[in-house]
Amino acid sequence: MRHFPIFLDTTNRNIIVSGAGECAVAKLRLLLKTQAKIFVFGHDPEDIILQWAKKGLLIFTERSLKKNDIKNIILIYGANENSIEDARIKAISNSMGVLINIVDNLNDSEFITPAIVDRDPLTIAIGTEGTAPVLARNIKKQLEEILPTSLGILARIGQSFRNHVEILPMGQKRRNFWTKFYFHDGPQALQNGGENEARNSLNSLLKNTLETKTDIGRVHLIGAGPGDPDLLTLKARKLLHEADVVIHDQLVSEPILELARREAIIVETGKKGFGKSWYQDDINALMIKHAGQGKHVVRLKSGDPTMFGRLDEEMSSLDQAGILYDITPGITAASAAVATINQSLTKRGRNSSVLHLTGHDINGFADQDWRILSIPGTVAAIYMGKRAAQFLQGRLLMYGTAPNTPITIVANASRPNQKILDSQVGSFSEKLTNSHIDGPIIFLLGLAPRDVFSQLQKSSNQIEMVIS
Ligand code: SAH
């Protein structure tokens, strides 16, 4: 981080803008929101600058800035639209030890002004170290859309009520109170009856919150999808953000865990390296322990929690402990994988059913109805089949699946290191071994990537494809 973001107190401080053209006007629009006294120096001023001066919003002097003008100044903006004049101003500021920003000149600036979302007193500053202003602008646009314009008013009203809310215990209960005020009761009251109503809503919300018994813990069994955080449902995202404790499988990707609050306890239950994986009973006990303490626990499982996720064992133990829970579905690996090869899991005239199988079960390599799989047109998504690949190949061939039946191997579906291996039943096991692919893989029996054109499209999307 080259530029450190801080919020500068501008009360009783002076800021200078050197330049009076369009470039200066743009900066002044921002600076006029501060409490600083603004001094503008320059020639040929834009009309608006004269109008602001007339209204007493700034002090304009129609000449170039001199060293003597710099008294009790905290910041200087060089907006002269002239590099020689900007360099002169920079030399003056440096000699006076005042921080300077030369507009649109990152190298000569000692500070930069971020993109700002203004819901005063809530202010969001967005910076990209000057590298990608378009990115900052787009993020600003999105935030402007998400944050209700009333948020500033509510924040001010809320501020005067902070002391009263200290009666609530710190943590979940207090957080819930404020979330409810800022995003539900407050905006509604403001709309119905203005600021007074919003103030009243704080009182009634506090009364209600005090009257409700202590929070009962709960477990949210959530599908994290195949890895791409954009494939998370909005509900999962929201619950993850509210969680006190997140217990996740190893396959849940890092960018998804980033969405949890910083204070949340995060526990990984998967196997790492040659380490031991957690016993299911220990996972259950951990969920029960935290939820029993009134915490909101998110049990985050890769893909969809109802698909090969040992969900029933977890639900039974929660039932036994009398802990409430709910399920939020996610995108399962098969859906993500089939999308990467531009195919459908079902197709009129080809297959009217689709199978989801596991290569492994409690007994080791899982036995299946191999004859059904050999029927031409069959489509099956085979999970957890990496180590069982040779066994699968042998069984499929032995029970009559044609060796040239397509089978696509998709590794790390939806992740940046996604790989697609186009193969056939007669040889996919060797192909997989030779590919040295790392990460979770799924087999799509009966499906080949759609066509050459789509493969080109995939590679132009920087997704690696290995084509046979
Ligand atoms: N509940 C999960 C499946 C858990 S079983 C779901 O609905 O997807 C774990 C298996 O899922 C892995 O062995 C692999 O076969 C598959 N899998 C999970 N994520 C995957 C991914 N991103 N790409 C390919 N396969 C994946």
Side-chain angles (χ1 to χ4, degrees):
M1 195 190 291
R2 178 174 156 202
H3 294 91
F4 182 64
I6 52 167
F7 287 90
L8 197 66
D9 188 354
T10 56
T11 9
N12 299 325
R13 297 305 189 106
N14 302 333
I15 295 178
I16 285 180
V17 174
S18 168
E22 274 177 23
C23 204
V25 169
K27 278 288 166 267
L28 284 166
R29 280 189 205 286
L30 269 184
L31 292 172
L32 286 174
K33 293 181 176 198
T34 70
Q35 296 183 12
K37 206 165 173 183
I38 313 287
F39 294 87
V40 181
F41 293 87
H43 300 277
D44 301 326
E46 291 284 320
D47 280 350
I48 184 89
I49 293 188
L50 296 176
Q51 285 168 30
W52 283 331
K54 216 165 158 188
K55 285 189 197 156
L57 299 176
L58 52 79
I59 294 153
F60 174 63
T61 312
E62 191 158 5
R63 63 163 167 79
S64 307
L65 175 75
K66 292 185 201 151
K67 197 167 174 173
N68 286 350
D69 299 319
I70 303 182
K71 286 189 196 105
N72 190 24
I73 302 292
I74 45 166
L75 298 174
I76 297 182
Y77 280 90
N80 300 289
E81 298 170 50
N82 171 333
S83 54
I84 298 170
E85 181 61 1
D86 278 341
R88 188 183 72 85
I89 304 295
K90 183 169 159 69
I92 295 180
S93 339
N94 286 165
S95 72
M96 300 296 284
V98 183
L99 288 177
I100 183 160
N101 168 278
I102 306 287
V103 176
D104 291 335
N105 181 342
L106 181 65
N107 283 338
D108 288 337
S109 294
E110 287 157 340
F111 69 93
I112 48 179
T113 321
I116 292 171
V117 180
D118 177 15
R119 297 286 185 276
D120 185 41
L122 170 78
T123 311
I124 301 172
I126 307 154
T128 58
E129 300 277 15
T131 54
V134 176
L135 187 63
R137 267 201 294 278
N138 273 311
I139 291 172
K140 172 177 154 68
K141 186 168 158 270
Q142 286 176 25
L143 287 173
E144 294 277 8
E145 282 163 11
I146 298 170
L147 298 174
T149 41
S150 60
L151 217 51
I153 305 170
L154 293 176
R156 210 168 295 120
I157 294 173
Q159 196 175 23
S160 59
F161 201 73
R162 287 214 97 78
N163 292 345
H164 301 275
V165 181
E166 274 167 24
I167 195 168
L168 296 176
M170 250 191 6
Q172 177 88 32
K173 202 155 188 177
R174 216 186 272 181
R175 273 203 315 275
N176 286 352
F177 172 87
W178 286 117
T179 309
K180 205 152 179 238
F181 172 67
Y182 287 128
F183 294 96
H184 187 261
D185 290 25
Q188 221 164 53
L190 200 64
Q191 201 178 11
N192 294 341
E195 295 196 20
N196 271 343
E197 186 89 19
R199 252 179 222 109
N200 293 340
S201 78
L202 275 169
N203 280 312
S204 34
L205 186 62
L206 185 58
K207 191 162 165 277
N208 288 344
T209 316
L210 285 169
E211 280 166 7
T212 17
K213 289 202 207 81
T214 3
D215 264 356
I216 317 165
R218 202 183 176 93
V219 176
H220 303 284
L221 302 154
I222 296 181
D228 177 353
D230 281 348
L231 293 179
L232 206 60
T233 61
L234 289 174
K235 189 169 177 185
R237 196 175 263 261
K238 179 172 160 282
L239 290 170
L240 187 54
H241 181 71
E242 288 169 1
D244 298 306
V245 182
V246 178
I247 303 172
H248 69 95
D249 289 347
Q250 193 208 343
L251 278 183
V252 173
S253 69
E254 198 52 44
I256 288 176
L257 294 170
E258 290 284 324
L259 298 169
R261 284 181 310 114
R262 244 183 253 182
E263 311 87 73
I265 302 170
I266 301 194
V267 186
E268 184 193 320
T269 61
K271 206 176 351 192
K272 258 208 174 141
F274 295 102
K276 204 163 65 93
S277 56
W278 279 55
Y279 289 113
Q280 189 61 51
D281 283 349
D282 295 336
I283 300 175
N284 300 347
L286 193 67
M287 288 192 294
I288 292 166
K289 180 184 118 187
H290 286 296
Q293 292 167 351
K295 296 200 175 118
H296 278 231
V297 179
V298 159
R299 170 76 178 110
L300 202 54
K301 291 165 166 294
S302 75
D304 181 77
T306 71
M307 190 70 84
F308 304 124
R310 300 185 73 173
L311 188 63
D312 290 77
E313 293 162 60
E314 298 188 359
M315 289 192 292
S316 301
S317 71
L318 293 170
D319 281 337
Q320 266 173 22
I323 305 273
L324 297 173
Y325 58 84
D326 49 52
I327 302 174
T328 304
I331 293 182
T332 189
S335 306
V338 79
T340 68
I341 59 165
N342 288 353
Q343 285 290 9
S344 293
L345 285 173
T346 61
K347 185 178 171 190
R348 278 178 150 210
R350 181 191 66 202
N351 62 320
S352 55
S353 65
V354 58
L355 295 156
H356 289 75
L357 316 173
T358 174
H360 247 99
D361 62 14
I362 341 175
N363 303 320
F365 295 156
D367 232 331
Q368 308 288 353
D369 190 341
W370 305 107
R371 295 237 175 261
I372 286 193
L373 291 170
S374 73
I375 298 170
T378 294
V379 171
I382 308 175
Y383 293 68
M384 290 180 275
K386 203 181 207 171
R387 271 186 282 162
Q390 208 179 346
F391 168 80
L392 283 167
Q393 182 172 320
R395 282 291 187 279
L396 288 168
L397 293 173
M398 191 193 313
Y399 285 89
T401 303
N404 62 354
T405 307
I407 183 165
T408 304
I409 303 165
V410 182
N412 303 298
S414 89
R415 300 175 183 221
N417 55 346
Q418 173 179 288
K419 270 195 181 150
I420 298 164
L421 211 61
D422 181 8
S423 187
Q424 296 185 338
V425 166
S427 56
F428 72 94
S429 158
E430 295 81 54
K431 197 160 186 179
L432 177 63
T433 312
N434 295 337
S435 72
H436 302 291
I437 278 176
D438 217 16
I441 62 153
I442 188 159
F443 298 113
L444 297 173
L445 175 68
L447 293 177
R450 191 173 184 82
D451 54 32
V452 172
F453 172 72
S454 67
Q455 288 167 10
L456 286 174
Q457 210 177 18
K458 288 285 174 205
S459 47
S460 73
N461 284 343
Q462 295 177 338
I463 286 167
E464 197 171 335
M465 275 211 68
V466 186
I467 302 162
S468 59

